[in-house]
Amino acid sequence: MKIIEVKNLNKIYHEGEINVHAVRGIDLVIEQGEFTAIVGPSGSGKTTLLNMIGGLDNPTEGEIVIDEINIGNLKSSQLTDFRMKNIGFVFQAYNLIPVLTAKENVEFIMHLQGKSKKERADRAIQLLEEVGLGERVNSRPSKLSGGQQQRVAVARALASKPKFILADEPTANLDSESTANLLDIMEKLNREENITFIFSTHDARVVNKARRVITIDDGKIMSDITK
Amino acid sequence: MLLSIAWKNVWRNKLRSLIVIIAISLGLVGGIFSAAVMKGAAKDGVRGMIDNYISEIQIHQPLFKLNNETKYHIKNSNEFEKNIKNIEGVKSVSSRLKVTGMASSANSAVGVSINGINPEQEKLVTTIYKNILDSSGTYFETKSRNPAIISKRLAEKLKLRLRSKIILTFPTSDGSQIETAFKIIGVFKTTNSTYDKLNIYVNKSDLARLTGYSEDVSQEIAIRINKEASIDSIKSKISKNDSTLLVETWKDLVPTLAMSSGIMDQMILVFLIIILMALGFGIVNTMLMVVLERIKEIGMLMAVGMSKIRIFFMIMFETIFLSLVGGVIGMSISAVLIGYYNINGITFSGLDEAFEKFGYPTTIYPELEPTVYFTLSFLIILTGIIASIYPARKALKLNPVEALRSDA
């Protein structure tokens, strides 16, 4: 089942008098349950593409249809609500809320969704256990390692039961062991719970795990290989 | 959860928050305590004026007030006094035979108001008897011919001492002038130097004998009322007793004092608002720093679906908490200070003359109504809300993609 359809996507940035064509006419379809890596050199447009798919950035031209909704037609507040309900984000720098514990960080999005206290607490603990942090639910981010923080970020991304998860270079700040651990968790979630993951990455270990690899350069798709 | 995050955010940078909280607390302590001193001074000033001189209500012939001539007097004042005493809420009454004259010594002469009083009745109305200075005589307890009590300030001006003779010149009932020696048997001092210099107290019987008036005549009747009694209702009841007389409350008698006392609450409010405004700018500055330090985090919150209104409220609650913590500490310290000095008083030594010229005591007992604290709490929250608007708007203008790319 297709959950994302990108049609003729273009993004042009205006930097002074220079126009930077970051994404050039990309067409793409992502199916439910994919484990896809978007790879390419720095400045190739992969993060821009991911931001537009995530509704964080507007395309200059083209359409992004998620679950039959053209997100370009949504108002800013509707788009915010859409992101909260449909998209999970994992950032390179984890971006957890430092004053909240791991459990509270995971609960946060469910709180925005208006879930009950019990439902929030139960799901947060369950997700943290799934990412192997059942013992650290009450730890603040500053007490967790980079790998552990990124696992909390994955649990947070899953909390809202999104249609897919966008992970922008999730392993860039992690050591080999943490990377392997994180990838195992994400692959397991993908395999067992059919959760769709889309990564932008430079990391060969991520690319090796991915079942579909889309290579971008100069804003264009150079190759799209399904293993 | 929004409130919980906002509260936890306040303590994220403890040192910075503490500096702001201390600044708010100190600013408020300064403001509230000064306000309490002003309020205490105003109240003590009014109380001193009422207790020492004017009482709550005075009655005169209208023309006496206008011309200050003794011939405009209240006849049958003893009977009238009795009637007034029967009015509910009236505590005590004293009638005075009052003439304007000249007080002189070998060195100097000065215009004065000579108050012929019944000492025992007057004790129930004014507190002059309590203000006789140590080793400066008694309150009409010393047996003497034509005894008089004068203020320390007048004594100094005329270079007179206790047991000296003071020459009083005043008009009699037939319009002639009489010059008589009185013996100073007591020297008093109140907190109002202007009134002190103007008033001399003698026995009403002596003054009646010398002026030729009956003791049943008076130029002034002073009335004290019970605390809970309504001054306006008593005033109107007295007026009904004799509509030809001029009945005035202390507010009519000293309108400037009444006005200053009346506007004190508004002055205090304006004073505190100005302090809060100044503190507000400090809070705006701090919250701007907070927002600039958390650009990336705010970008993340926007990305994961936190609405702009929630981000706005998160920053607003954080600002309100910061202001409230400082406010509560500031108000608590102020309440303790005011409580302590309300019992022990603050003496402004060296400023006696300046204070007493305006009728204020040199020892002030600060006080503040509890309602001021409620108003202030509301104003502190309002300051927090207003101070949060600019930083919060700054946060809302962030673009999530750019914010996520930021180093902050």
Side-chain angles (χ1 to χ4, degrees):
Chain A
M1 189 181 83
K2 109 182 139 185
I3 54 167
I4 302 169
E5 188 174 7
V6 174
K7 297 175 193 169
N8 188 31
L9 203 66
N10 283 278
K11 178 72 185 178
I12 301 169
Y13 289 113
H14 304 284
E15 286 179 1
E17 290 185 359
I18 302 164
N19 289 340
V20 179
H21 214 138
V23 173
R24 297 166 188 262
I26 286 183
D27 292 295
L28 183 67
V29 172
I30 306 279
E31 300 284 339
Q32 170 76 41
E34 280 193 20
F35 201 69
T36 299
I38 300 173
V39 297
S42 292
S44 59
K46 54 187 188 302
T47 298
T48 305
L49 175 62
L50 225 58
N51 284 339
M52 287 191 285
I53 292 172
L56 298 174
D57 210 351
N58 298 318
T60 310
E61 195 189 346
E63 279 181 13
I64 298 162
V65 179
I66 296 173
D67 217 14
E68 294 176 2
I69 294 170
N70 182 346
I71 63 169
N73 293 336
L74 299 178
K75 288 181 198 159
S76 170
S77 58
Q78 290 172 321
L79 198 55
T80 305
D81 198 50
F82 184 84
R83 282 199 301 267
M84 176 180 70
K85 289 175 180 159
N86 299 288
I87 309 171
F89 289 91
V90 178
F91 305 98
Q92 180 181 336
Y94 332 129
N95 288 6
L96 299 175
I97 302 172
V99 293
L100 301 183
T101 62
K103 177 171 161 268
E104 288 167 339
N105 263 289
V106 179
E107 278 188 64
F108 179 70
I109 291 178
M110 290 185 276
H111 172 78
L112 297 180
Q113 288 179 317
K115 297 269 164 61
S116 74
K117 197 175 174 182
K118 188 178 180 308
E119 194 181 347
R120 289 194 320 245
D122 290 348
R123 182 155 171 79
I125 289 169
Q126 178 215 327
L127 288 169
L128 285 168
E129 279 169 356
E130 279 182 38
V131 297
L133 290 172
E135 304 292 310
R136 307 300 303 270
V137 291
N138 292 319
S139 300
R140 287 202 178 180
S142 57
K143 302 286 175 198
L144 299 172
S145 68
Q148 288 172 325
Q149 285 188 57
Q150 198 60 303
R151 280 190 270 155
V152 176
V154 171
R156 178 181 66 183
L158 290 166
S160 61
K161 297 184 179 165
K163 292 194 167 65
F164 58 93
I165 288 177
L166 294 175
D168 186 13
E169 310 220 17
T171 58
N173 292 348
L174 303 183
D175 57 30
S176 304
E177 194 185 335
S178 300
T179 299
N181 199 327
L182 185 75
L183 286 173
D184 286 345
I185 287 166
M186 292 199 281
E187 194 186 26
K188 185 172 169 240
L189 287 164
N190 170 257
R191 198 175 54 243
E192 293 178 2
E193 297 180 31
N194 203 29
I195 294 165
T196 310
F197 281 89
I198 305 159
F199 308 92
S200 77
T201 188
H202 281 112
D203 193 333
R205 292 163 298 186
V206 181
V207 177
N208 289 338
K209 284 269 182 190
R211 289 199 298 279
R212 180 180 174 192
V213 179
I214 300 168
T215 307
I216 291 185
D217 198 7
D218 201 20
K220 288 182 283 193
I221 293 179
M222 307 308 285
S223 67
D224 185 347
I225 301 162
T226 303
K227 295 178 192 169
Chain B
M1 191 168 241
L2 215 54
L3 287 171
S4 158
I5 294 175
W7 174 251
K8 286 172 180 170
N9 277 341
V10 170
W11 305 109
R12 195 185 273 205
N13 188 330
K14 287 194 182 75
L15 181 66
R16 184 175 56 206
S17 293
L18 280 175
I19 288 170
V20 177
I21 287 165
I22 289 168
I24 296 170
S25 307
L26 288 180
L28 283 177
V29 168
I32 296 170
F33 191 69
S34 309
V37 170
M38 289 197 288
K39 181 85 180 167
K43 202 162 177 186
D44 289 348
V46 170
R47 182 55 46 203
M49 192 72 115
I50 290 172
D51 285 347
N52 293 324
Y53 285 107
I54 59 174
S55 309
E56 277 104 357
I57 297 174
Q58 282 190 4
I59 306 170
H60 303 94
Q61 277 284 1
L63 286 171
F64 176 79
K65 282 286 288 195
L66 212 60
N67 304 314
N68 217 8
E69 286 182 40
T70 47
K71 64 181 180 186
Y72 300 116
H73 52 253
I74 303 162
K75 286 175 187 157
N76 304 320
S77 77
N78 293 342
E79 180 69 23
F80 191 59
E81 228 179 274
K82 263 187 211 165
N83 291 340
I84 295 168
K85 274 180 190 164
N86 289 334
I87 294 172
E88 200 184 329
V90 171
K91 192 163 76 179
S92 50
V93 183
S94 177
S95 59
R96 297 165 186 157
L97 192 60
K98 199 165 180 156
V99 293
T100 304
M102 183 76 80
S104 50
S105 65
N107 294 295
S108 183
V110 63
V112 290
S113 185
I114 304 161
N115 296 277
I117 57 167
N118 178 331
E120 288 310 308
Q121 270 186 335
E122 190 68 23
K123 259 186 178 180
L124 304 172
V125 172
T126 58
T127 51
I128 292 296
Y129 74 98
K130 284 184 184 168
N131 292 308
I132 302 289
L133 296 166
D134 290 341
S135 318
S136 294
T138 62
Y139 176 77
F140 293 106
E141 283 148 23
T142 314
K143 295 268 183 244
S144 171
R145 184 178 158 77
N146 293 345
I149 291 176
I150 71 167
S151 72
K152 186 172 178 251
R153 292 178 181 94
L154 187 60
E156 282 167 359
K157 191 162 189 180
L158 296 174
K159 296 196 169 75
L160 292 170
R161 287 180 302 176
L162 184 69
R163 287 185 285 277
S164 297
K165 280 195 176 160
I166 181 169
I167 308 299
L168 299 180
T169 310
F170 46 87
T172 62
S173 59
D174 62 10
S176 61
Q177 294 282 325
I178 185 170
E179 189 179 276
T180 311
F182 279 75
K183 187 173 179 184
I184 300 168
I185 60 155
V187 178
F188 69 89
K189 184 176 183 252
T190 74
T191 54
N192 192 312
S193 59
T194 312
Y195 270 62
D196 275 11
K197 280 179 197 164
L198 279 175
N199 285 284
I200 291 181
Y201 293 89
V202 300
N203 269 317
K204 187 177 184 184
S205 54
D206 290 339
L207 197 59
R209 176 173 43 82
L210 291 164
T211 54
Y213 282 111
S214 149
E215 278 192 57
D216 198 18
V217 160
S218 55
Q219 275 76 25
E220 184 172 281
I221 297 175
I223 299 159
R224 297 304 300 268
I225 65 169
N226 291 323
K227 261 186 184 172
E228 63 282 3
S230 153
I231 193 165
D232 292 323
S233 141
I234 292 173
K235 177 186 169 179
S236 88
K237 281 177 189 165
I238 295 169
S239 298
K240 275 182 197 158
N241 243 306
D242 189 338
S243 59
T244 62
L245 296 176
L246 179 66
V247 184
E248 293 170 294
T249 66
W250 68 270
K251 289 179 185 176
D252 306 320
L253 292 160
V254 199
T256 48
L257 199 64
M259 195 180 75
S260 71
S261 169
I263 62 169
M264 187 54 76
D265 288 339
Q266 283 94 321
M267 274 177 63
I268 287 172
L269 198 63
V270 170
F271 183 57
L272 291 172
I273 287 173
I274 291 169
I275 288 175
L276 283 173
M277 274 172 68
L279 293 172
F281 283 105
I283 299 168
V284 170
N285 191 35
T286 304
M287 291 312 293
L288 266 179
M289 280 169 69
V290 164
V291 168
L292 293 176
E293 274 177 10
R294 288 191 213 147
I295 288 179
K296 197 168 197 144
E297 188 178 316
I298 292 166
M300 177 278 291
L301 294 172
M302 286 173 164
V304 300
M306 191 168 181
S307 64
K308 288 191 170 185
I309 192 79
R310 284 186 173 186
I311 292 173
F312 186 89
F313 276 117
M314 186 183 72
I315 292 165
M316 181 179 279
F317 288 144
E318 192 173 331
T319 320
I320 292 171
F321 284 144
L322 194 64
S323 315
L324 261 184
V325 172
V328 168
I329 294 172
M331 285 193 288
S332 307
I333 296 171
S334 304
V336 170
L337 276 178
I338 292 168
Y340 175 78
Y341 285 108
N342 186 262
I343 295 164
N344 299 296
I346 307 171
T347 304
F348 292 89
S349 33
L351 295 168
D352 312 34
E353 273 197 38
F355 272 65
E356 287 169 3
K357 209 165 190 170
F358 294 100
Y360 292 121
T362 44
T363 299
I364 288 168
Y365 298 88
E367 66 168 77
L368 214 55
E369 278 95 9
T371 50
V372 174
Y373 293 103
F374 289 112
T375 312
L376 202 53
S377 303
F378 168 75
L379 287 174
I380 290 166
I381 293 172
L382 193 66
T383 305
I385 292 172
I386 294 169
S388 69
I389 291 173
Y390 182 60
R393 272 175 57 87
K394 199 99 182 156
L396 296 190
K397 283 184 180 166
L398 293 172
N399 172 302
V401 173
E402 284 168 15
L404 281 165
R405 263 195 228 129
S406 145
D407 291 330

